[in-house]
Amino acid sequence: MRVGVFICHCGNNIAGTVDVQKVAEEMRKIPGVAYSTTYVYTCSEPGQNEIIEAIKKYKLDRVVVAACSPRMHELTFRKAVEKASLNRYFLEMANIREHISWVGDDKELNTQKAIDVVRMAVAKVMNNKPLFSSSFKLTKRVLVIGGGVAGMQAALDCADGGLDVVLVEKSPSIGGMMARLDKTFPTIDCSICILGPKMVDVAQNERIKLYAYSEIEDVKGYIGNYEVTIRKKATYVDWNKCTGCGLCMEKCPSKNAYDYFNFGIAPTRAINIPFPQAIPKKAKIDPNYCRYFLKGKCGVCAKICPTKAIDYDMKDELVKEDVGAIIVATGYSLMGVENFPEYGGGKYKDVITGIQYERILNASGPTGGHIKRPSDGKEPETVVFISCCGSRDKSVGIPYCSNFCCMYIAKQAILTKDHLPKSQSYVFYMDIRAPGKGYDEFTRRAQEEYGVRYIRGRVSKIYPRGEKLIVRGADTLLGIQVEVEADLVVLANAVISNPDAAKLAEKLRISYDTFGFYVESHPKLRPVETNTSGVFLAGACQGPKDIPASVSQGSAAASKVLALFSKDVLESDPQVSYVNPNVCVGCMKCVKTCPFGAIKEEELRDGRKVAKVIETVCAGCGICTSTCPCGAIQLQHFTDNQILAEVYAFASGK
Amino acid sequence: MPQESKKELRIIGFLCNWCSYGGADTAGVSRFKQPTDLRIVRVPCSGRVDPLFVVRAFLSGADGVLVSGCHPRDCHYSDGNYYARRRLEMLKRLLPFFGIDDRRFHYTWVSASEGERWQRVVTEFTKVIHGLGPLKIEEGEEIG
């Protein structure tokens, strides 16, 4: 065996706190190590070439690269050794950057730790076997979860690329948050005017199959071959018959249903179409408010419906779809106004959230686009905006910035002035964050052209005085207390993940962070991929994002899927379990533990029953390997021998 | 060979590739400083950790063994960490019968985004092991 060890300096990232020369020297002492060297940037082209040359020159048959995390560059170096005609699984990486040089300051201890860790990698690589992938077919259809702007963009781009798309939307209409907005910053473009045509495109595209008011029930399978179960929730209206005429909504006697689309700023009917541009434009009954469901009688909508579409006995329906890739674009939620009692949220009717104000400003909103305050319908003269409500506040568990509030506050303040020229807006802010193209100019316009008064400081208290709300806060630039008599207070409420984000992540087997946002594969270089191959991310489900960023990610995710589907077969990962039939006693414990049903019973010619792994189904977790009482089933590349070799090498450092 | 003056002890950690290994990477990228005693072995899933690996590690000279996987319900392979939890809890209760203080073995959950939590886990566990001192496996430990 001739192992080559390549220690990377990573500039000063590793060499700064690890004596790389000493590590290389120590490795030369290990029997079987034929060559050991260091290089300033092993991942660079000359660095990789040095590995390739050394493999040829010194006839190396195993390679260890001690550098950054294998999660970063394992594939890079696998490709490099492959160029030198070595099987790619004859490579091991030792992580001496993220796990050593970056987390310890003591050079002596770091060097010792690096020596141990590289020695463990050498011990493992000596036990490595060549592995070869096989190919399997894939279903060239894509599932997009979420019909907001990111999901729609992804669906349209995939369809344009010639793919069949299954689009699943949780609410009765696609459009997402953007459909609720009045105008968009920094151009003050009408939101629905630019989104509406896209929504129609989705509806009319023959390649897109839309499941509105549906959710993901279950996901089985793996990249290229997912089987997805979709729950079509009962709408109690037969959408094949419903024409969207809206008669039912007019006549429905239950007038106090919660309006999810308008964030409860005004009530709606128990049977409703969420908004005029809804796609599909179909009615749906909310059984929590419908008199027929609550009291057992009414049936007005059933009587009035010209196409007899009402079906009170409708049940949820489960549908199965086969797809090869999944794009998750489930968006975000917002903290409710009731979470801000210090600002009178939930107590004073005229304290509302940004998205609620957006609906008031919107021509298709409950006030028809006339700014009227919720309590008495009067036009406000003084409007106060408070930024960072919940956001950047560790005490409520949201240390992050919600990304777009600074911008929409400026937009809403400008629109307020446009609607009510006599009005005066105030903004209490912590910082103005306007880093996008044309964004800073926009916030300046709000101040300079529209006379919006920006006060740097927090609001301490809001209390009523007569018809007014007294907003008391600090102006930290002047160092004084300020009081504003407001007619309406708008809170820039924090962006949070969807309440069911974790549940969906568990079905898809993707990771989520402490806040429920989905985790991308690499924060810089793989922003729309997840660690589950075949599952991609787009939009605010990954973290707060504005429209241009969400659209870009929608397109990016679509391009990833199109690239994936440009191949006719996919290569399977050979790091799967393998049963040695001579050792297997046929207890079938592995069959029971496998989460993927990848192991089945097989009868040998002599009649003996043993376990057998279905390679394409095995995901490579290795639960079976640690279950097997006789070591017959071994996860390739992580066999007992390989892991124990590392343990013994660790121990030999004592 | 750890310097006597700096008194490093032998700690080995088995980390799930999808979460805790990533969490340790995140800690590294964020420069969250940690004690240097720990040596990390990457495994695909905490469910891949055979309790015998832990025992082998102790028998061959480890003073402490750490296993870290994905938070329950957030397994990349859907149930791997449930298997891990059952097996490792069993092992933890068994260790005192071998004459090994069960505080020397710790299993926990750290996600890929929890760099700070990883720093805390390593720091605290290293402190516990230093409190216990080197394991003298031949002599057996007084289990209090």
Side-chain angles (χ1 to χ4, degrees):
Chain A
M1 204 159 291
R2 298 180 64 79
V3 181
V5 182
F6 300 84
I7 321 270
C8 180
H9 297 215
C10 195
N12 252 340
N13 283 312
I14 294 170
T17 54
V18 173
D19 184 346
V20 285
Q21 300 299 348
K22 191 175 176 204
V23 180
E25 259 167 51
E26 286 293 322
M27 291 311 113
R28 282 184 208 120
K29 296 178 190 165
I30 301 174
V33 173
Y35 182 69
S36 175
T37 188
T38 71
Y39 194 78
V40 62
Y41 286 109
T42 311
C43 62
S44 66
E45 200 185 355
Q48 292 189 42
N49 283 340
E50 191 166 283
I51 299 178
I52 296 167
E53 292 307 316
I55 292 173
K56 291 176 186 161
K57 191 170 170 192
Y58 300 99
K59 300 192 169 52
L60 304 177
D61 55 8
R62 302 280 197 281
V63 170
V64 169
V65 176
C68 51
S69 172
R71 285 165 57 106
M72 179 88 187
H73 273 321
E74 192 170 53
L75 194 61
T76 313
F77 293 118
R78 276 182 178 171
K79 283 180 184 162
V81 301
E82 217 164 39
K83 277 188 197 149
S85 313
L86 213 60
N87 185 279
R88 55 163 64 192
Y89 293 94
F90 280 144
L91 168 95
E92 278 301 322
M93 282 191 79
N95 185 346
I96 59 168
R97 192 179 74 170
E98 281 86 344
H99 292 184
I100 299 181
S101 70
W102 276 351
V103 294
D105 294 325
D106 188 314
K107 196 161 183 174
E108 202 179 322
L109 291 177
N110 279 354
T111 305
Q112 186 52 48
K113 187 174 177 184
I115 290 170
D116 284 355
V117 168
V118 182
R119 191 182 43 235
M120 287 159 73
V122 169
K124 189 187 171 193
V125 86
M126 288 182 172
N127 285 279
N128 281 16
K129 297 252 161 19
L131 301 175
F132 303 92
S133 42
S134 49
S135 54
F136 61 93
K137 286 194 171 155
L138 65 156
T139 312
K140 292 189 182 180
R141 289 179 91 211
V142 57
L143 167 72
V144 179
I145 311 173
V149 70
M152 283 175 9
Q153 183 71 33
L156 287 168
D157 283 2
C158 285
D160 277 350
L163 298 180
D164 285 329
V165 182
V166 178
L167 177 59
V168 175
E169 165 57 45
K170 182 169 68 174
S171 50
S173 167
I174 57 169
M177 286 291 187
M178 189 178 166
R180 289 154 157 129
L181 306 184
D182 180 37
K183 303 285 190 296
T184 58
F185 58 77
T187 48
I188 322 202
D189 239 343
C190 159
S191 186
I192 198 71
C193 312
I194 51 178
L195 187 73
K198 256 193 194 311
M199 293 166 64
V200 176
D201 282 351
V202 169
Q204 292 179 347
N205 196 309
E206 283 174 1
R207 289 195 175 277
I208 301 177
K209 190 170 179 184
L210 172 64
Y211 288 97
Y213 204 53
S214 299
E215 288 186 47
I216 302 301
E217 181 76 7
D218 190 30
V219 179
K220 280 203 180 78
Y222 50 96
I223 181 170
N225 294 282
Y226 285 107
E227 188 193 86
V228 183
T229 311
I230 298 162
R231 176 179 290 273
K232 286 173 79 177
K233 295 180 282 186
T235 56
Y236 308 105
V237 177
D238 184 344
W239 280 7
N240 292 325
K241 292 183 188 162
C242 176
T243 58
C245 68
L247 262 180
C248 52
M249 199 172 162
E250 256 171 55
K251 303 290 178 194
C252 175
S254 171
K255 295 175 185 169
N256 270 317
Y258 184 83
D259 190 345
Y260 293 94
F261 187 77
N262 285 321
F263 282 87
I265 197 76
T268 186
R269 307 293 171 100
I271 185 165
N272 64 70
I273 297 168
F275 59 107
Q277 298 88 344
I279 297 240
K281 199 177 178 192
K282 307 282 181 190
K284 171 204 143 253
I285 294 176
D286 186 342
N288 296 319
Y289 294 96
C290 173
R291 288 189 186 179
Y292 183 87
F293 283 93
L294 294 175
K295 293 177 182 158
K297 54 183 178 185
C298 174
V300 170
C301 50
K303 270 171 231 156
I304 202 96
C305 179
T307 58
K308 302 282 169 239
I310 310 296
D311 174 8
Y312 295 117
D313 302 321
M314 190 183 264
K315 294 269 178 311
D316 288 5
E317 194 188 327
L318 296 179
V319 205
K320 283 197 161 68
E321 291 283 359
D322 291 325
V323 294
I326 300 172
I327 296 174
V328 190
T330 46
Y332 64 97
S333 291
L334 288 157
M335 265 177 109
V337 73
E338 66 285 354
N339 292 296
F340 307 103
E342 68 275 31
Y343 301 141
K347 193 167 156 196
Y348 309 131
K349 277 189 171 173
D350 295 328
V351 176
I352 60 172
T353 62
I355 191 79
Q356 287 177 324
Y357 192 47
E358 201 74 39
R359 293 310 299 154
I360 291 177
L361 289 167
N362 194 301
S364 67
T367 56
H370 300 293
I371 303 181
K372 292 174 184 170
R373 59 183 210 167
S375 63
D376 51 14
K378 279 189 189 158
E379 286 184 351
E381 281 168 16
T382 310
V383 181
V384 169
F385 296 89
I386 305 175
S387 75
C388 300
C389 292
S391 321
R392 304 172 69 197
D393 186 350
K394 275 190 179 170
S395 69
V396 296
I398 303 182
Y400 56 83
C401 166
S402 288
N403 186 304
F404 45 71
C405 323
C406 286
M407 292 308 298
Y408 81 62
I409 287 176
K411 175 194 72 182
Q412 290 182 343
I414 287 175
L415 291 175
T416 307
K417 193 75 178 172
D418 271 345
H419 281 67
L420 308 167
K422 283 183 192 159
S423 69
Q424 173 64 51
S425 293
Y426 294 84
V427 176
F428 282 89
Y429 70 99
M430 280 161 70
D431 299 285
I432 303 173
R433 299 191 161 176
K437 189 175 173 180
Y439 284 15
D440 200 57
E441 296 91 315
F442 186 73
T443 57
R444 285 187 173 276
R445 233 179 110 197
Q447 297 172 61
E448 289 157 10
E449 205 176 304
Y450 288 83
V452 179
R453 301 268 299 270
Y454 272 67
I455 302 166
R456 188 181 188 279
R458 301 300 293 161
V459 170
S460 57
K461 198 179 179 186
I462 294 176
Y463 58 95
R465 185 189 290 157
E467 285 185 352
K468 300 266 186 186
L469 289 166
I470 308 301
V471 180
R472 187 183 279 178
D475 185 330
T476 54
L477 294 180
L478 292 177
I480 54 166
Q481 291 284 321
V482 283
E483 248 185 36
V484 180
E485 282 194 6
D487 298 300
L488 183 67
V489 176
V490 180
L491 309 179
N493 48 337
V495 170
I496 52 173
S497 59
N498 283 324
D500 52 359
K503 242 166 100 184
L504 181 65
E506 283 150 19
K507 286 174 189 161
L508 294 163
R509 284 180 261 114
I510 58 175
S511 329
Y512 51 93
D513 65 18
T514 330
F515 313 107
F517 292 113
Y518 300 146
V519 179
E520 66 283 5
S521 199
H522 190 279
K524 302 269 189 292
L525 302 178
R526 290 161 66 84
V528 297
E529 289 102 320
T530 66
N531 278 330
T532 300
S533 41
V535 181
F536 303 90
L537 303 175
C541 60
Q542 181 263 350
K545 243 172 235 75
D546 61 5
I547 295 165
S550 299
V551 172
S552 313
Q553 285 209 327
S555 285
S559 81
K560 287 285 167 195
V561 172
L562 285 162
L564 176 73
F565 286 178
S566 66
K567 304 172 189 91
D568 288 322
V569 284
L570 293 179
E571 292 215 325
S572 68
D573 187 343
Q575 297 176 76
V576 293
S577 285
Y578 167 77
V579 182
N580 182 345
N582 298 325
V583 182
C584 177
V585 293
C587 68
M588 302 303 160
K589 277 187 177 162
C590 52
V591 176
K592 280 180 216 145
T593 51
C594 179
F596 305 98
I599 313 173
K600 60 177 186 189
E601 197 178 273
E602 185 193 40
E603 202 176 305
L604 296 179
R605 247 185 263 167
D606 60 5
R608 216 155 48 85
K609 281 180 180 145
V610 293
K612 186 179 166 56
V613 176
I614 311 161
E615 274 173 48
T616 49
V617 183
C618 175
C621 60
I623 297 171
C624 53
T625 311
S626 33
T627 303
C628 180
C630 41
I633 188 164
Q634 290 291 331
L635 173 63
Q636 300 304 296
H637 212 61
F638 289 98
T639 60
D640 285 343
N641 284 344
Q642 286 170 309
I643 296 173
L644 285 173
E646 286 189 84
V647 173
Y648 295 142
F650 155 81
S652 71
K654 199 175 184 178
Chain B
M1 270 99 298
Q3 294 291 306
E4 276 307 305
S5 59
K6 290 182 181 164
K7 286 192 189 112
E8 234 190 20
L9 291 176
R10 309 289 300 161
I11 304 174
I12 188 168
F14 297 94
L15 270 61
C16 159
N17 174 54
W18 302 105
C19 48
S20 299
Y21 196 92
D25 282 357
T26 307
V29 174
S30 322
R31 313 297 198 277
F32 293 142
K33 301 292 176 210
Q34 299 151 34
T36 47
D37 310 45
L38 176 75
R39 311 287 184 260
I40 292 170
V41 175
R42 184 164 69 124
V43 290
C45 176
S46 54
R48 174 66 190 93
V49 179
D50 192 321
L52 282 175
F53 295 164
V54 179
V55 178
R56 287 279 187 200
F58 280 125
L59 286 176
S60 47
D63 301 309
V65 181
L66 180 66
V67 176
S68 189
C70 306
H71 288 277
R73 300 181 63 214
D74 189 20
C75 177
H76 185 75
Y77 301 106
S78 83
D79 327 312
N81 48 6
Y82 291 136
Y83 286 103
R85 187 165 64 179
R86 243 176 287 165
R87 290 168 183 161
L88 299 174
E89 180 56 35
M90 179 84 129
L91 174 72
K92 198 170 171 63
R93 293 180 194 195
L94 207 59
L95 284 176
F97 293 94
F98 303 151
I100 298 172
D101 193 312
D102 67 356
R103 286 171 293 176
R104 293 188 182 278
F105 169 60
H106 183 52
Y107 68 92
T108 187
W109 325 114
V110 175
S111 80
S113 63
E114 292 175 323
E116 236 174 320
R117 181 173 153 79
W118 176 250
Q119 178 192 36
R120 212 165 51 238
V121 164
V122 176
T123 310
E124 281 168 11
F125 186 63
T126 310
K127 208 172 147 195
V128 168
I129 299 304
H130 277 264
L132 293 166
L135 171 65
K136 296 190 178 68
I137 194 101
E138 312 78 25
E139 296 164 27
E141 286 185 295
E142 284 283 332
I143 310 296

